[in-house]
């Protein structure tokens, strides 16, 4: 550990809003990327000064400032998402647990990757936008045909973001994109990360439809 390198929030680029947004997208990227997680004390509520062994953390920031309080809510949510989703840790030491979808978009500073467990339905797709620009109708490749939804959007107003969320079910379409067989069209929030979770894979939807038709035929 080396002092005088600033806290995570104070390292972030830009004005006050962008610093907090940058902290959220960085933390989401770290939590969703392979490897075990380390977070220095005080980062969970965006303390601006470095941790100091000779004094307490600045807990009063949570009571005094809404943005620090919302940052604490964000990290609490992120911890639960990490714990509750096996794709983020089950195959941490295997190449099967991680796959790049798009690592080459330097022009827009957006990366897309997926995390996997042994179960396809537990797959997560992660989108990170490291610029303060909103992108509408942005196409990303996905591994399965079916329904997806936002598991996390770091731009949620609940966390102090601008509220560029997608409060709807997303439907994948057939068509090659980013070396994937299927694709989604999404809204990418500014200086933020998305975690997309598969709701239902197409095979599951077809099976439910078939069961429903059999039940209706039996009733008839």
């Amino acid at each position: 550990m080396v002092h005088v390198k600033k806290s995570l929030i104070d390292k972030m680029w830009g004005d006050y809003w962008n610093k907090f947004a940058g902290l959220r997208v960085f933390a989401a990227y770290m939590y969703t990327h392979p490897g075990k997680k380390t977070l220095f004390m005080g980062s969970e509520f965006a303390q601006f000064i470095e941790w100091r062994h000779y004094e307490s953390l600045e807990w009063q920031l949570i009571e005094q400032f809404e943005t620090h309080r919302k940052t604490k809510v964000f990290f609490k949510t992120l911890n639960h998402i990490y714990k509750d989703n096996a794709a983020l840790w089950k195959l941490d030491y295997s190449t099967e647990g991680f796959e790049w979808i798009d690592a080459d978009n330097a022009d827009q500073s957006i990366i897309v990757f997926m995390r996997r467990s042994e179960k396809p339905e537990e797959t997560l797709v992660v989108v990170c936008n490291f610029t303060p620009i909103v992108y509408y109708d942005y196409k990303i490749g996905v591994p399965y045909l079916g329904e997806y939804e936002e598991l996390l959007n770091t731009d949620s107003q609940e966390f102090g973001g601008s509220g560029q969320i997608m409060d709807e079910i997303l439907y994948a379409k057939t068509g090659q994109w980013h070396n994937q067989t299927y694709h989604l069209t999404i809204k990418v929030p500014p200086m933020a990360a998305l975690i997309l979770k598969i709701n239902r894979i197409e095979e599951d939807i077809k099976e439910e439809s078939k069961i429903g038709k059999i039940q209706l035929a039996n009733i008839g």
Side-chain angles (χ1 to χ4, degrees):
M1 186 192 80
V2 181
H3 281 294
V4 199
K5 287 198 172 181
K6 298 186 177 182
S7 63
L8 274 180
I9 184 70
D10 206 18
K11 287 175 183 285
M12 294 299 159
W13 164 87
D15 58 18
Y16 191 76
W17 187 90
N18 275 294
K19 283 183 178 295
F20 280 88
L23 176 64
R24 293 192 301 271
V25 66
F26 171 80
Y29 171 70
M30 179 182 73
Y31 271 65
T32 55
H33 204 268
K36 300 309 174 187
K37 316 307 168 189
T38 301
L39 192 67
F40 230 89
M41 290 182 289
S43 295
E44 71 273 23
F45 58 90
Q47 176 175 298
F48 272 89
I49 65 169
E50 292 179 313
W51 171 77
R52 297 168 176 171
H53 68 88
Y54 52 82
E55 66 182 32
S56 175
L57 297 176
E58 294 186 308
W59 298 109
Q60 70 277 6
L61 294 175
I62 300 171
E63 300 299 327
Q64 294 173 348
F65 300 102
E66 183 180 38
T67 310
H68 291 276
R69 185 164 59 253
K70 288 184 174 183
T71 300
K72 182 173 178 288
V73 172
F74 165 71
F75 273 99
K76 180 179 180 181
T77 302
L78 191 58
N79 282 331
H80 280 292
I81 287 174
Y82 181 81
K83 180 173 68 73
D84 294 341
N85 288 272
L88 296 176
W89 42 264
K90 196 71 177 288
L91 300 177
D92 222 15
Y93 298 105
S94 169
T95 55
E96 295 176 357
F98 176 90
E99 182 181 337
W100 283 110
I101 293 177
D102 183 20
D104 301 315
N105 188 352
D107 292 336
Q108 294 170 300
S109 295
I110 295 175
I111 58 174
V112 188
F113 57 90
M114 71 178 86
R115 296 300 310 276
R116 298 181 184 273
S117 70
E118 300 97 335
K119 300 176 181 178
E121 65 271 18
E122 293 180 343
T123 301
L124 300 177
V125 175
V126 181
V127 183
C128 296
N129 176 13
F130 296 103
T131 70
I133 300 171
V134 184
Y135 293 98
Y136 300 94
D137 300 323
Y138 189 88
K139 191 186 291 188
I140 63 169
V142 291
Y144 302 110
L145 188 65
E147 299 176 355
Y148 294 72
E149 65 175 342
E150 281 184 337
L151 179 64
L152 178 75
N153 185 328
T154 68
D155 192 50
S156 170
Q157 291 180 338
E158 177 187 10
F159 307 139
S162 65
Q164 296 288 343
I165 64 173
M166 295 180 292
D167 190 18
E168 59 183 324
I169 299 297
L170 304 169
Y171 299 93
K173 296 180 180 179
T174 301
Q176 191 84 7
W177 197 260
H178 290 153
N179 296 316
Q180 303 295 320
T181 308
Y182 311 104
H183 65 268
L184 285 173
T185 301
I186 64 172
K187 176 170 63 173
V188 180
M191 207 71 173
L194 299 173
I195 302 177
L196 302 177
K197 184 177 179 64
I198 298 170
N199 244 353
R200 291 194 294 176
I201 297 175
E202 179 68 19
E203 287 73 14
D204 299 331
I205 297 172
K206 286 180 179 177
E207 187 63 27
E208 286 183 13
S209 177
K210 184 167 68 175
I211 292 171
K213 288 178 181 177
I214 292 172
Q215 289 174 339
L216 286 173
N218 290 338
I219 292 171

